[in-house]
Structures are given as structure tokens and as C-alpha cells.
């Protein structure tokens, strides 16, 4: 089911700036038992992105009504995507500031993962496509995802489940669809994202949950060498939760209780 600006249909104006320039934002949510998980975190990131791009905030009450309508008509367990664009505009990059945002809510089938993947881990590669630095866009989930599209095209092997992306300086930033967590000597590390990357809601949930329990979490620049020298590595996003990596390129990693069992249990207890 798709709702556009409060109406059930699947069409947008061809002059929409989201189509022309990627001028907008999106959120991908997991819906479980009829409930959109981590809703407040998703909305906070969406609002932050709108403020950063100077897109008027959507009516959040109306947005939630549309979300509930889609869930009620599509099923209790599914993937939900929210998109907010600047709306229709004239030709050219400049915007007037009077545009009316386009708000889209759409559903997709439940994202299913084999439970054995959480026990055994999955494989990843380090991508050749680099993420460029742009502090004004870093952190938000804007619609310009061409770097991820190019990176995802680097492999066809179905056994490879993720590609890890570095920035122009060679630091580890994120996966094509996930954030990175590494463990070294009992401490959890995750890349800092002030120059590139998306601040994922599951990454935030992991950090906040462990901080609340006074467990060490360090956000820092991480080199590819440090990544490959980690005791264990995991990826995380709103659909996967926390999933261990068993191999990156030719480097094999054990599955860590810290990054799987302990983190997963804490997130479950925290109603992640």
C-alpha cells in the first residue's frame, strides 16, 4: 500500500524535486506485531534531516495516521518506508522556500533473515567505491544514494551480504545498508560519522543502551587495518538488528557474545 500526501495512490508529479535532484529524505522502519519499531528515533532523524535541508517539517500527527493506515491495510509484520521531498519545483537547483513537501508512506513485505545468520555470521567485502566528505549532509538519510548504488554493484555473490565503505581518507564509515560495530579487547567501537555516512537508529540504540549500563562504547575514526584486526565485527540497521560478520574479504572473525548475544539481549530488554 502507498499513501502520497494523505491519499492512497502511487503517483507523484514529474517536477517533484525528490525525483529531479534527490532533494529529500527517507526512513526505513521495521513493523513488528503492528508496531513501528524505534519510531521516535526515526522521527527525530527525519526531523533533523528536514531542518538540515531546510525542508518544512511534515505534519507528524498526519504522518502517523498514514502510517497506521498502511499497517492496518498491509499486515502486522512488514517493512515501512517514509519519504519526504521538498515537493514540486521549477527547473533549476534553486528553491523558492514556498514549496509544499511531498510525504510518502509505503509498505513492503517483511524482511526475513535466517536465524542461523545471527549464530554463524555473514560475509562482507570492502568496497572500492569511496564515500565523499560533506559535513552538511553527514549523518542524515538523504535521498542521494548513488555512492551506495555503485558500491552495491561491486558484488553478485549471494553469499556476500554487505559491502563496507571507506571515505576519501581511508577511514571505515559504514556498510552500504548498515552501520559498523567492532569489538577489541572487550570494548565496542563504531566509526564517527561527522564527515560522511548515516547515523543509523539501531547504531544509536546500541550506543544508548550500552551507555545506560555503563559499558564502554567508543566512537572514533577507524582505519581498514584496525577493522581487520578487530576481535569481532558486526553490522546493524533497523531491519537486521545486530548481525555478526564471519568474514571480511579474506579475514575471518569469530562470532562474539558481546556483539550478538549480550547486545541482542540488552536491546530486547530495552524494547528495541
Amino acid at each position: 500500500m502507498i499513501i502520497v500526501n494523505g491519499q492512497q495512490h502511487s503517483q507523484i508529479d514529474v517536477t517533484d524535486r525528490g525525483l529531479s535532484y534527490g532533494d529529500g529524505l527517507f526512513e526505513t522502519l521495521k513493523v513488528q506485531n503492528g508496531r513501528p519499531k524505534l519510531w521516535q528515533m526515526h522521527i527525530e532523524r527525519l526531523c533533523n534531516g528536514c531542518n538540515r535541508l531546510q525542508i518544512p517539517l511534515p505534519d507528524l500527527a498526519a504522518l502517523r495516521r498514514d502510517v497506521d493506515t498502511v499497517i492496518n491495510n498491509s499486515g502486522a509484520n512488514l517493512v515501512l518506508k517514509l519519504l519526504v521531498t521538498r515537493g514540486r519545483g521549477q527547473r533549476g537547483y534553486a528553491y523558492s522556500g514556498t514549496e509544499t513537501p511531498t510525504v510518502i508512506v509505503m509498505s513492503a513485505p517483511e524482511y526475513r533473515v535466517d536465524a542461523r545468520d545471527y549464530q554463524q555470521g555473514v560475509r562482507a567485502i570492502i568496497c572500492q567505491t569511496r564515500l565523499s566528505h560533506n559535513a552538511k549532509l553527514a549523518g542524515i538519510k538523504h535521498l542521494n544514494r548513488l555512492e551506495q548504488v555503485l558500491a552495491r554493484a561491486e558484488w553478485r555473490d549471494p553469499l556476500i551480504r554487505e559491502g563496507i565503505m571507506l571515505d576519501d581518507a581511508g577511514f571505515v564509515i559504514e556498510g552500504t545498508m548498515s552501520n559498523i560495530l567492532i569489538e577489541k579487547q572487550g570494548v565496542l567501537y563504531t566509526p564517527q560519522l561527522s564527515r560522511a555516512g548515516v547515523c543509523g537508529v539501531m547504531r544509536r540504540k546500541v550506543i544508548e543502551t550500552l551507555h545506560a549500563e555503563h559499558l564502554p562504547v567508543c566512537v572514533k575514526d577507524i582505519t581498514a587495518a584496525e577493522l581487520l584486526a578487530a576481535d569481532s565485527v558486526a553490522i546493524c540497521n533497523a531491519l537486521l538488528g545486530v548481525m555478526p560478520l564471519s568474514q571480511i574479504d579474506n579475514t575471518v572473525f569469530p562470532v562474539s557474545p558481546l556483539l550478538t548475544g549480550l547486545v541482542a539481549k540488552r536491546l530486547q530488554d530495552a524494547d528495541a
Side-chain angles (χ1 to χ4, degrees), residues 10 22 79 86 108 184-185 192 210 213 268:
S10 58
V79 174
R86 196 177 303 276
K184 187 70 173 179
Q185 298 180 342
Q192 70 93 359
L210 296 186
E213 298 193 20
Q268 184 179 23

Side-chain angles (χ1 to χ4, degrees), residues 19-38:
L19 176 64
S20 298
Y21 309 118
D23 190 0
L25 304 140
F26 73 102
E27 296 288 330
T28 304
L29 298 83
K30 179 178 182 178
V31 176
Q32 189 173 39
N33 298 323
R35 180 184 175 195
K37 307 293 282 184
L38 300 176

Side-chain angles (χ1 to χ4, degrees), residues 85-101:
T85 79
R86 196 177 303 276
R88 294 180 297 172
Q90 301 298 316
R91 194 195 72 79
Y93 293 129
Y95 58 88
S96 66
T98 62
E99 294 83 5
T100 300

